[in-house]
């Protein structure tokens, strides 16, 4: 290549996108504008080329059977390809606190790995063999999708979970999270200040640490007499009432989990976007359960489209669910944004305010954890 080598630009105003930090944190130190190109070696890496071709063929299936905007969204969710995303829809997701759906993260990897593991079990594979093949599969999937920060973290944690099962050890979430953080930062140390890294790890701390403690705290609010009456009343309830109570308990747990993530990641969200998506906690209760259907049908539609290109109606059958769910997400986002106080703009907090917030949060969680 011959051309011009340039440094990345620094922000000229407060709050402006920091191009230099963004790319240097991902181990890119210069940008190059090529004028002339000459191929001196025509050999190719068959392994990487195979993954690239698979990703390209899946993208072609989505583009063929979905509208342009929908194809752009599903390529981001399944393949990690964000260049075709509609900027307005991306901003709609972000403003409503559901932007994490776009990034390939723990939710996506868990569903992909779980689905693959179950398929292997159906074919009679042993647990040990299924675990080993699933580890290989999710590593290849992460490699194909580009191993973003959230993908890298999720893949490492899932691999450690499966390895724990193979060697007969108990999976420990904090240890797995720490190991994944060490692996990521060993490759790209500057990511420790990246909002994507902080949000990804903060969300897991919210689910794995804050959520169990807050759940315990809520149980302590109930008196022993209330718990006794509650346990006694369960025996006399009808099937419908039991089902209704079960649904209420599920919604309550989902709401608490979403709230736990929100309180841990709040300072990072404010430091990055300067606003709070007020209805994001509630919206996530609706959109997250539908992600299993969305990802499952999108993957099945893509695979069927590659294997049976002469039967396009099969892919269209699966893509129908993708179309419905993506449109539902968009309509829910628009409805939430139209509600009063949907976005509370508070500005960027000072460093001392962030430190004080986390200090108080840690103290509160410790007190709840220490209570009997």
């Amino acid at each position: 290549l011959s051309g011009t080598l340039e440094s990345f630009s620094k922000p000229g105003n407060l709050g402006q996108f920091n191009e230099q930090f963004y790319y240097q944190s991902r181990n890119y130190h210069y940008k190059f504008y090529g004028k002339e190109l000459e191929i001196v070696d025509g050999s190719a890496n068959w392994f990487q080329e195979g993954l690239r071709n698979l990703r390209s063929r899946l993208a072609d299936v989505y583009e063929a059977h979905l509208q342009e905007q929908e194809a752009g969204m599903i390529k981001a969710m399944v393949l990690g390809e964000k260049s075709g995303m509609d900027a307005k829809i991306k901003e709609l997701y972000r403003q409503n606190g559901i932007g994490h759906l776009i990034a390939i993260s723990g939710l996506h990897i868990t569903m992909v790995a779980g689905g693959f593991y179950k398929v292997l079990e159906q074919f009679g594979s042993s647990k040990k063999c299924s675990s080993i093949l699933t580890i290989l599969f999710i590593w290849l999937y992460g490699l194909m999708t580009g191993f973003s920060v959230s993908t890298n973290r999720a893949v490492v944690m899932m691999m450690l979970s499966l390895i724990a099962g193979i060697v007969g050890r108990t999976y420990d979430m904090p240890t797995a999270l720490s190991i994944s953080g060490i692996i990521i930062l060993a490759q790209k140390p500057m990511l420790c200040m990246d909002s994507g890294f902080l949000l990804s790890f903060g969300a897991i701390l919210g689910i794995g640490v804050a959520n169990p403690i807050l759940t315990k705290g809520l149980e302590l609010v109930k008196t022993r007499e209330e718990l006794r009456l509650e346990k006694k009343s369960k025996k006399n309830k009808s099937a419908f009432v039991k089902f209704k109570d079960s649904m209420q308990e599920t919604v309550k747990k989902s709401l608490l989990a979403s709230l736990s993530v929100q309180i841990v990641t709040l300072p990072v969200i404010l430091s990055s976007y300067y606003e709070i998506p007020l209805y994001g906690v509630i919206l996530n209760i609706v959109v997250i359960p539908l992600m299993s259907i969305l990802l499952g049908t999108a993957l099945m539609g893509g695979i069927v489209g590659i294997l049976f290109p002469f039967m396009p109606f099969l892919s269209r059958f699966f893509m129908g669910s993708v179309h419905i769910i993506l449109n539902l997400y968009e309509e829910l986002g628009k409805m939430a944004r139209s509600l009063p106080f949907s976005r509370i703009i508070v500005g960027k907090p000072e460093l001392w305010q962030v430190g004080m917030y986390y200090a108080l949060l840690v103290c509160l969680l410790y007190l709840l954890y220490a209570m009997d």
Side-chain angles (χ1 to χ4, degrees):
L1 289 170
S2 64
T4 306
L5 191 69
E6 293 185 8
S7 299
F8 293 110
S9 60
K10 297 180 181 180
N13 297 300
L14 291 174
Q16 183 181 344
F17 174 63
N18 191 335
E19 183 186 53
Q20 185 184 59
F21 172 80
Y22 179 84
Y23 284 106
Q24 287 190 354
S25 66
R26 287 154 178 81
N27 287 348
Y28 296 101
H29 298 282
Y30 298 94
K31 51 186 172 182
F32 184 80
Y33 294 94
K35 294 181 180 178
E36 295 180 8
L37 178 148
E38 180 186 355
I39 298 175
V40 295
D41 184 1
S43 61
N45 185 317
W46 64 268
F47 177 68
Q48 292 182 348
E49 189 68 10
L51 289 176
R52 189 195 66 80
N53 285 333
L54 176 59
R55 181 177 179 176
S56 179
R57 291 180 68 183
L58 284 169
D60 290 341
V61 173
Y62 297 139
E63 289 170 0
H65 299 293
L66 291 170
Q67 298 175 10
E68 182 180 356
Q69 176 181 297
E70 295 168 351
M73 293 300 296
I74 213 66
K75 283 192 293 182
M77 293 178 177
V78 176
L79 304 176
E81 176 55 63
K82 299 183 180 180
S83 60
M85 288 177 57
D86 185 282
K88 291 182 179 178
I89 300 299
K90 181 181 178 181
E91 185 66 8
L92 180 69
Y93 276 50
R94 186 197 67 74
Q95 289 178 348
N96 285 290
I98 57 173
H100 60 90
L101 299 179
I102 300 170
I104 299 176
S105 59
L107 180 66
H108 303 67
I109 297 299
T110 301
M111 291 175 183
V112 171
F116 185 75
Y117 187 92
K118 287 180 181 178
V119 169
L120 292 174
E121 280 192 325
Q122 292 299 317
F123 281 97
S125 174
S126 66
K127 289 186 176 181
K128 187 174 182 179
C129 183
S130 297
S131 297
I132 293 171
L133 291 175
T134 302
I135 288 171
L136 178 61
F137 177 74
I138 59 174
W139 178 74
L140 290 173
Y141 179 70
L143 200 61
M144 184 185 74
T145 58
F147 264 128
S148 66
V149 172
S150 56
T151 307
N152 201 334
R153 176 198 56 73
V155 167
V156 171
M157 293 184 72
M158 178 57 68
M159 290 173 70
L160 289 171
S161 174
L162 292 166
I163 291 171
I166 293 172
V167 299
R169 300 293 294 270
T170 302
Y171 172 72
D172 179 52
M173 189 279 293
T175 301
L177 186 67
S178 301
I179 291 173
S180 66
I182 290 169
I183 291 173
I184 293 170
L185 295 178
Q187 301 171 71
K188 302 171 182 177
M190 289 178 66
L191 282 177
C192 65
M193 297 298 292
D194 180 74
S195 61
F197 177 89
L198 296 173
L199 287 171
S200 180
F201 279 77
I204 300 302
L205 286 173
I207 294 171
V209 177
N211 186 45
I213 294 174
L214 291 176
T215 301
K216 176 186 175 183
L218 286 177
E219 290 298 323
L220 291 172
V221 173
K222 297 180 180 180
T223 65
R224 291 184 179 181
E225 182 64 22
E226 286 175 328
L227 289 171
R228 188 185 66 79
L229 291 173
E230 186 178 292
K231 186 176 181 180
K232 184 179 178 180
S233 65
K234 285 183 180 179
K235 298 178 181 179
N236 303 320
K237 289 180 180 179
S238 65
F240 174 76
V241 174
K242 287 181 179 178
F243 174 76
K244 186 181 75 170
D245 289 348
S246 175
M247 290 299 295
Q248 288 176 344
E249 188 66 22
T250 301
V251 171
K252 178 179 152 185
K253 288 180 179 178
S254 299
L255 185 62
L256 189 60
S258 185
L259 182 63
S260 300
V261 172
Q262 186 82 11
I263 62 174
V264 173
T265 59
L266 181 60
V268 183
I269 293 171
L270 290 178
S271 297
S272 303
Y273 306 113
Y274 320 137
E275 61 186 26
I276 303 172
L278 187 60
Y279 305 112
V281 173
I282 300 172
L283 202 57
N284 273 292
I285 297 176
V286 180
V287 300
I288 289 179
L290 291 174
M291 276 299 290
S292 58
I293 302 173
L294 178 63
L295 292 175
T297 52
L299 284 169
M300 286 299 298
I303 293 168
V304 166
I306 291 174
L307 297 177
F308 307 103
F310 50 88
M311 302 172 70
F313 63 89
L314 289 176
S315 283
R316 282 198 290 269
F317 171 77
F318 289 105
M319 294 306 169
S321 298
V322 174
H323 168 78
I324 292 170
I325 294 173
L326 286 178
N327 275 274
L328 177 62
Y329 281 178
E330 184 178 348
E331 291 304 316
L332 286 172
K334 289 178 179 178
M335 182 182 71
R337 194 168 61 177
S338 66
L339 295 173
F341 309 107
S342 61
R343 294 161 59 201
I344 302 176
I345 300 173
V346 298
K348 183 177 181 178
E350 297 291 339
L351 188 60
W352 68 267
Q353 292 175 317
V354 173
M356 182 174 289
Y357 176 90
Y358 279 122
L360 291 172
L361 179 61
V362 169
C363 289
L364 174 63
L365 292 176
Y366 178 77
L367 289 172
L368 289 174
Y369 178 77
M371 289 174 64
D372 292 325

